[in-house]
């Protein structure tokens, strides 16, 4: 193949070689423009368009991080009404969630493991919000599994108090 190309090139007149070389150069430039330059320009335009939104998200993340730091540094009010397990039990009864709780097991360092085998996710979130607002209880870890019924979950969580 290489010999054939060399033979083809040598059999051409100098003017024909010039036209072939110029045409090849134009073809390379056109392909470079179509497959290199244009896609890069399109991508750059998309990135320029997305940049303000990404900057806004970054600012929001920074604000959220500052809020987390502020909340972690906040002194936690003393628990009222006894141990964390008692507070959790009391708030569950007040909301009507106590019959859904399988176990409330106190652990070390002011932590309590709570197991709810079948509970509505919205009810769980409402209860956590109430615990957090009234007694500064936070979720240290949680394993949440969806049940067959829509909106129902199994929850195994460790809650920690101040």
């Amino acid at each position: 193949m290489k010999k054939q190309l060399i033979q083809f090139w040598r059999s051409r007149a100098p003017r024909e070689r010039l036209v072939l070389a110029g045409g090849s150069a134009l073809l390379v430039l056109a392909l470079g423009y179509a497959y290199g330059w244009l896609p890069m320009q399109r991508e750059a335009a998309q990135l320029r368009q997305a940049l303000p939104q990404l900057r806004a998200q970054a600012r929001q993340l920074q604000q959220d991080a500052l809020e987390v730091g502020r909340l972690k540094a906040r002194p936690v009010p003393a628990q009222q009404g006894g141990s964390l397990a008692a507070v959790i039990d009391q708030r569950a009864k007040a909301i009507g969630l106590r019959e859904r709780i399988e176990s409330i097991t106190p652990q070390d360092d002011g932590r309590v493991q709570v197991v709810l085998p079948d509970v509505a996710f919205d009810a769980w979130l409402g209860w956590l919000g109430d615990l957090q607002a009234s007694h500064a209880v936070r979720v240290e870890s949680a394993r949440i599994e969806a049940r067959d019924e829509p909106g129902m979950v199994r929850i195994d969580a460790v809650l920690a108090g101040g």
Side-chain angles (χ1 to χ4, degrees):
M1 172 97 178
K2 186 177 176 183
K3 285 184 179 185
Q4 291 173 345
L5 273 173
I6 292 172
Q7 185 180 2
F8 172 79
W9 184 255
R10 287 184 181 159
S11 67
R12 301 292 148 219
R15 187 173 183 145
E16 211 175 342
R17 287 182 192 173
L18 184 62
V19 169
L20 286 172
S24 297
L26 283 175
L27 180 63
V28 167
L29 287 174
L31 289 174
Y33 180 76
Y35 290 105
W37 182 257
L38 281 179
M40 285 191 309
Q41 290 302 313
R42 284 189 206 115
E43 194 67 30
Q46 288 174 351
L47 291 173
R48 277 192 294 275
Q49 185 179 3
L51 188 60
Q53 180 183 3
L54 293 173
R55 284 185 175 152
Q57 287 175 350
R59 280 192 300 274
Q60 184 62 46
L61 285 173
Q62 288 172 340
Q63 289 173 353
D64 291 346
L66 290 173
E67 179 70 10
V68 166
R70 187 184 66 77
L71 290 174
K72 281 185 175 180
R74 183 178 76 176
V76 179
Q79 290 184 10
Q80 303 155 350
S83 71
L84 180 60
V87 167
I88 288 172
D89 187 56
Q90 172 193 11
R91 296 310 307 155
K93 285 178 185 173
I95 292 181
L97 203 62
R98 182 59 181 109
E99 64 275 358
R100 297 278 189 180
I101 297 177
E102 181 179 285
S103 66
I104 299 175
T105 310
Q107 296 182 337
D108 59 343
D109 300 332
R111 299 179 317 159
V112 174
Q113 180 179 13
V114 180
V115 177
L116 296 96
D118 194 37
V119 65
F121 187 71
D122 291 342
W124 158 255
L125 287 181
W127 180 53
L128 282 179
D130 178 58
L131 284 170
Q132 198 269 335
S134 63
H135 293 71
V137 173
R138 67 185 187 283
V139 177
E140 190 170 282
S141 67
R143 190 177 81 229
I144 302 173
E145 299 170 359
R147 307 300 286 176
D148 292 335
E149 186 179 339
M152 301 300 284
V153 292
R154 173 182 168 66
I155 297 174
D156 186 352
V158 175
L159 306 179

